[in-house]
Every structure is written in structure tokens, then in C-alpha cells.
Amino acid sequence: MPARLRQHFFNVYAYCRISDDLGDEVGNPQASLQLLDQWEAELDACYWGNPRHPVFVALRESITTLDIPRDPFANLLTAFRQDQTITRYQTFDDLLGYCLNSANPVGHLVLYLCGYRDGERQKFSDFTCTALQLANFWQDVSTDYAKGRIYLPLEDLARYGVSETDIANRNNSPAFCNLMRFEVQRARDWFFQGFPLVDKVDRELAVDLELFSRGGLEILKAIEHQGFAVLGRRPAISKSRKLFLVARAALGKLL
């Protein structure tokens, strides 16, 4: 990122990181809901002009300088609250409704930070951010189940003959692997629908956006390389592959 934007990105990241931790790391849904309510009260104070918490003191500067609306920040809290009460999604559309608040606001914030405010770019950003969220879900099926959550749509489990017991027992059956093959391709399609955004922003942001998308596609490729058997075996991108992606992105900045 250009030097002029780095502190603004730090400020927004601090808000997002702490918000996520309040929803995911407390270990008690009722306590998380209370803490998220307190965090939103701090957000309101920030927008009213009297922030108290250090994160919001810093964030206030970014909000006023770059004219960032409240909605993306608040929508993230909606998703983190949802995680405390909803642990299963019946349909893919239901899951997309979750991503609408859990993933897409991050892309909108990045666009606001870089001076883009139009709906067209936000639409492409939504495809990319939802795809990243889906890739993370498919990578972390066992990890999420340990937290009591299943993000694979229940209608897809039923269609492929996969039970919750299969997930609990880490049974990478042919049926489960066929289900994951379907979900991986669906996420890949969403990445491709978001790629036009790369050509609609300046070069510095375009390189970073491409790196995010290529990284997400690498996660899907890692799932594919282990035969879609993700239960108990979290797919990961190798260090050498990460270095290749970063080098490729760095070269793009020089061209």
C-alpha cells in the first residue's frame, strides 16, 4: 500500500481484528454478544465524534479523512453476532446471506480506503470476498465443527448423502469428497466473477487484489491436491508457493 494509506489500513484492520476475536475467541456466546454490543457502542461514539477506546480514536481519523460510512463496520458485527446463535445453514443462499455481512464489508472498506465508492466495483468486490470466505470455510471444515459450526449447506450434505456424523468422525468418504469437489468449483466460479475488479482500480491496489484472489485459488487447489479429503487434514499453501505468489505480485508492481 502507498505510505499515505498505511495508517488508515492499520486503523481499519485493528477494528476488524478485535471485532472478529470478540466473536470467535471468547468461547462463551452470551459473553461474546455482550462484548459485541459494547464494541458497537464504541463504534457509535466514534461516529458521534467522541471516541474513547484507542482503536476508535485512531479509526475516527480514517473515517473523517476518507469519509467512510458506518454500515460496513456495523455489518461485520451483525455477522459475528450471528455466529453466536446460528451454527447451521440450510441452503447456499442462506450462507451467502451470512457472507453478505461477514466478508463483503471488508472489501467495501478496502475500496473506501482507496477512494472508490461506486456500486459496480463493490459488486465485483463482493464476489471476491465471498469467494475468499467460502475457500476458508472449505479449508476449515473440521476446525469449524470443533467450534460447533457447519458452514457446508445442509441441502448439499443431503444431496450428496453426507451426514453430520461423517464430519464429526472425520470420514473422508467418497460421498464427502464429491461434495467438496462441488463446493470447491462453486467457490472457484465466484473468484472468476470477481476478477474484473483488478482492471478497474489503480495498479497498486490491482496487484494486491490479484494476490488475494490467487491466494484463495491456491487454497482451493490445495484442497483438490489432497483429493478433497479435508476432514482432519487442513489444506495449506506451501511456503515455496507463497513465495512464488508474492514474487509474482512484486513483479507486477514493476511492470
Side-chain angles (χ1 to χ4, degrees), residues 203-222:
R203 177 178 292 183
E204 288 172 319
L205 180 57
V207 171
D208 294 329
L209 291 176
E210 183 165 356
L211 181 59
F212 296 151
S213 294
R214 296 295 179 190
L217 287 168
E218 284 294 322
I219 291 174
L220 299 180
K221 189 180 295 184

Side-chain angles (χ1 to χ4, degrees), residues 86-234:
I86 299 176
T87 59
R88 305 291 188 274
Y89 292 87
Q90 183 63 41
T91 68
F92 184 63
D93 283 343
D94 292 337
L95 187 61
L96 292 180
Y98 172 76
C99 295
L100 180 69
N101 291 316
S102 70
N104 299 358
V106 176
H108 292 196
L109 288 170
V110 169
L111 290 173
Y112 283 127
L113 288 169
C114 295
Y116 300 108
R117 315 182 69 84
D118 60 284
E120 182 188 27
R121 289 183 178 88
Q122 288 180 355
K123 178 189 71 173
F124 289 122
S125 170
D126 289 348
F127 281 121
T128 298
C129 290
T130 290
L132 286 166
Q133 180 82 87
L134 295 176
N136 182 246
F137 285 155
W138 309 158
Q139 181 184 34
D140 285 335
V141 176
S142 290
T143 301
D144 288 331
Y145 186 76
K147 298 176 182 178
R149 302 169 188 163
I150 296 178
Y151 291 104
L152 288 163
L154 298 183
E155 65 176 4
D156 294 345
L157 268 68
R159 183 183 303 121
Y160 282 87
V162 176
S163 68
E164 187 168 324
T165 301
D166 291 324
I167 297 174
N169 294 336
R170 300 184 175 184
N171 178 20
N172 289 295
S173 65
F176 177 82
C177 292
N178 285 335
L179 165 63
M180 288 307 304
R181 179 181 287 107
F182 169 74
E183 302 295 4
V184 163
Q185 186 55 51
R186 180 146 64 177
R188 187 176 282 125
D189 290 343
W190 280 69
F191 275 117
F192 291 141
Q193 290 182 80
F195 264 126
L197 180 60
V198 172
D199 295 325
K200 296 180 181 296
V201 296
D202 63 55
R203 177 178 292 183
E204 288 172 319
L205 180 57
V207 171
D208 294 329
L209 291 176
E210 183 165 356
L211 181 59
F212 296 151
S213 294
R214 296 295 179 190
L217 287 168
E218 284 294 322
I219 291 174
L220 299 180
K221 189 180 295 184
I223 294 173
E224 191 171 22
H225 281 172
Q226 63 184 55
F228 305 98
V230 300
L231 296 177
R233 298 171 53 201
R234 185 180 191 271

Side-chain angles (χ1 to χ4, degrees), residues 18-24 29 31-41 76-77 79-82 84:
I18 294 175
S19 300
D20 190 31
D21 287 346
L22 293 177
D24 231 19
S32 284
L33 288 170
Q34 183 177 4
L35 289 167
L36 288 166
D37 285 346
Q38 294 173 3
W39 197 238
E40 186 161 19
L76 287 171
L77 300 184
F80 300 142
R81 288 191 183 96
Q82 188 170 329
Q84 311 312 310

